[in-house]
């Protein structure tokens, strides 16, 4: 049975606030029934697209699930007292492919380039020998004709797939999924740039980089020409909007003041592995903004 889906507003968009395992189980239950569902895998870029574009904002609003892929989204959800973990696209792909056979769900991989899908196919079949693969299909960069679109819908529905991983990039893939809701009888998941990473065309950031919220920088180093403009456009305004929300809707400043006032100003706090830091580090940790390891990394 699917759990009630909680949502938390982050910079104007509502993000699904469920633990990773609960979101995965919910998606698999939908897939086992071949329900036509929309799952968006959200990061800072996606939320800023929604903030600036009311039409795209309605697509996120009407989605059945909007997972917190980016760590800034996870941190914002934690500010309302929910112990949220990250629900990233790559982790979703691996977990769903691993568990889909237990739910008798087959999967379809849609989008990206033919050479990416070719390498993906080899890797998927090797890593998930029990997975039922309904198909791999690349799409042209141009819009599909009506005849092509009808044929695609028929192909996917006839394949019996319960899950569709869609890799077309944001916001194109979310628009595609939204337009095919009710037409494709499967859970459609906008997976972004996961396909080329899984296929080995790009490297995934180490776990400590991902958990510290620096994966964007790791990706920027690999693809500076493609990502520099996007990050320069989206990260600064997100920081401003998120800070405003913390100070107003989340009353973050009042909480920090309260916790700071409870600690004597002349006290030093013992940090992990013998490091010490003044009360501000302790306050940020107790407010849930930094972990002990993150405090140590800053020091």
């Amino acid at each position: 049975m699917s759990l009630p889906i909680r949502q938390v507003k982050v910079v104007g968009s509502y993000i699904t606030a469920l633990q990773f395992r609960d979101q995965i189980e919910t998606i698999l239950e939908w897939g086992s029934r071949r329900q036509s569902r929309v799952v968006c895998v959200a990061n800072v870029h996606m939320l800023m697209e929604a903030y600036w574009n009311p039409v795209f904002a309605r697509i996120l609003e009407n989605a059945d699930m909007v997972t917190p892929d980016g760590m800034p989204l996870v941190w914002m959800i934690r500010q309302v007292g929910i112990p949220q973990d990250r629900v990233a696209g790559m982790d979703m792909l691996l977990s769903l492919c691993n568990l889909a056979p237990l739910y008798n769900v087959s999967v379809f991989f849609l989008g990206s380039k033919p050479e990416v899908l070719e390498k993906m196919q080899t890797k998927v079949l090797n890593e998930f020998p029990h997975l039922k693969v309904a198909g791999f299909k690349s799409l042209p960069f141009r819009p599909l004709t009506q005849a092509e679109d009808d044929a695609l819908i028929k192909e996917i529905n006839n394949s019996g797939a319960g899950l569709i991983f869609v890799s077309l990039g944001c916001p194109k893939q979310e628009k595609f999924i939204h337009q095919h809701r009710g037409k494709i009888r499967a859970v459609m998941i906008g997976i972004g740039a996961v396909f080329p990473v899984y296929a080995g065309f790009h490297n995934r950031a180490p776990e400590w980089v991902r958990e510290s919220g620096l994966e964007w920088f790791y990706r920027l180093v690999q693809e500076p020409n493609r990502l520099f403009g996007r990050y320069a456009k989206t990260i600064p305004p997100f920081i401003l909007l998120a800070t405003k929300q913390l100070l107003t809707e989340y009353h973050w400043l009042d909480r920090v003041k309260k916790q700071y006032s409870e600690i004597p100003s002349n006290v030093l706090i013992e940090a992990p592995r013998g490091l010490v830091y003044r009360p501000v580090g302790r306050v940020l940790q107790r407010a849930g903004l930094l972990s002990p390891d993150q405090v140590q990394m800053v020091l």
Side-chain angles (χ1 to χ4, degrees):
M1 180 181 297
S2 299
L3 295 172
I5 295 181
R6 295 181 296 180
Q7 294 180 315
V8 174
K9 187 170 72 171
V10 178
V11 188
S13 295
Y14 284 93
I15 309 300
T16 302
L18 284 176
Q19 292 298 311
F20 178 87
R21 64 180 182 276
D22 295 327
Q23 296 201 27
I24 293 298
E25 290 176 0
T26 299
I27 291 171
L28 287 168
E29 289 180 9
W30 290 341
S32 67
R33 301 184 183 98
R34 296 194 65 192
Q35 296 180 356
S36 186
R37 298 278 189 164
V38 172
V39 177
C40 299
V41 181
N43 55 18
V44 168
H45 172 219
M46 186 178 293
L47 293 198
M48 293 312 302
E49 289 284 349
Y51 183 81
W52 290 318
N53 187 336
V55 174
F56 186 67
R58 284 193 291 272
I59 292 177
L60 293 192
E61 182 180 349
N62 293 324
D64 296 286
M65 184 178 289
V66 182
T67 81
D69 184 333
M71 281 306 297
L73 280 61
V74 174
W75 294 331
M76 291 291 286
I77 293 174
R78 289 175 182 172
Q79 291 309 299
V80 298
I82 298 175
Q84 182 65 47
D85 51 5
R86 188 183 181 198
V87 187
M90 178 63 78
D91 297 326
M92 293 176 69
L93 176 80
L94 299 176
S95 183
L96 289 169
C97 287
N98 185 51
L99 296 175
L102 301 179
Y103 288 76
N104 195 30
V105 174
S106 60
V107 302
F108 198 106
F109 299 87
L110 181 66
S112 199
K113 300 177 181 179
E115 57 268 28
V116 172
L117 290 183
E118 182 178 353
K119 288 196 174 183
M120 276 195 68
Q121 183 171 1
T122 301
K123 190 172 181 180
V124 166
L125 295 178
N126 286 336
E127 292 189 350
F128 306 102
H130 302 295
L131 178 67
K132 295 181 180 179
V133 178
F136 290 86
K137 189 176 184 64
S138 182
L139 295 180
F141 288 101
R142 60 170 174 79
L144 298 177
T145 66
Q146 187 61 54
E148 289 173 332
D149 192 54
D150 292 341
L152 176 64
I153 294 170
K154 183 177 180 180
E155 178 182 353
I156 294 176
N157 287 336
N158 289 344
S159 74
L163 301 179
I164 316 292
F165 294 110
V166 184
S167 178
L168 299 175
C170 174
K172 183 178 179 180
Q173 65 195 10
E174 286 73 33
K175 293 177 180 177
F176 175 91
I177 293 172
H178 176 74
Q179 292 166 357
H180 290 81
R181 184 176 194 168
K183 299 177 183 178
I184 291 179
R185 298 190 301 273
V187 182
M188 295 169 283
I189 308 167
I191 213 75
V194 167
F195 281 16
V197 174
Y198 180 77
F201 286 85
H202 301 297
N203 296 322
R204 192 184 189 193
E207 184 176 358
W208 73 268
V209 174
R210 301 196 301 268
E211 292 301 315
S212 64
L214 293 174
E215 187 170 11
W216 65 272
F217 183 74
Y218 189 91
R219 292 182 61 195
L220 177 62
V221 172
Q222 294 188 78
E223 301 180 85
N225 293 335
R226 185 175 75 88
L227 296 176
F228 179 80
R230 175 196 296 183
Y231 290 159
K233 178 183 177 183
T234 58
I235 292 177
F238 177 86
I239 292 175
L240 292 175
L241 291 168
T243 302
K244 178 181 177 181
Q245 185 174 2
L246 286 172
L247 295 177
T248 56
E249 298 178 35
Y250 289 6
H251 304 291
W252 174 82
L253 187 59
D254 293 337
R255 288 160 49 200
V256 170
K257 286 180 177 178
K258 181 177 184 298
Q259 299 207 36
Y260 186 84
S261 66
E262 295 173 355
I263 304 175
S265 60
N266 61 342
V267 174
L268 290 174
I269 307 299
E270 190 71 19
R273 289 180 283 278
L275 291 177
V276 294
Y277 55 95
R278 291 199 176 274
V280 65
R282 182 64 170 174
V283 170
L284 292 174
Q285 178 188 333
R286 291 175 62 183
L289 295 175
L290 292 176
S291 68
D293 286 343
Q294 288 171 328
V295 171
Q296 177 176 303
M297 182 173 65
V298 171
L299 290 172

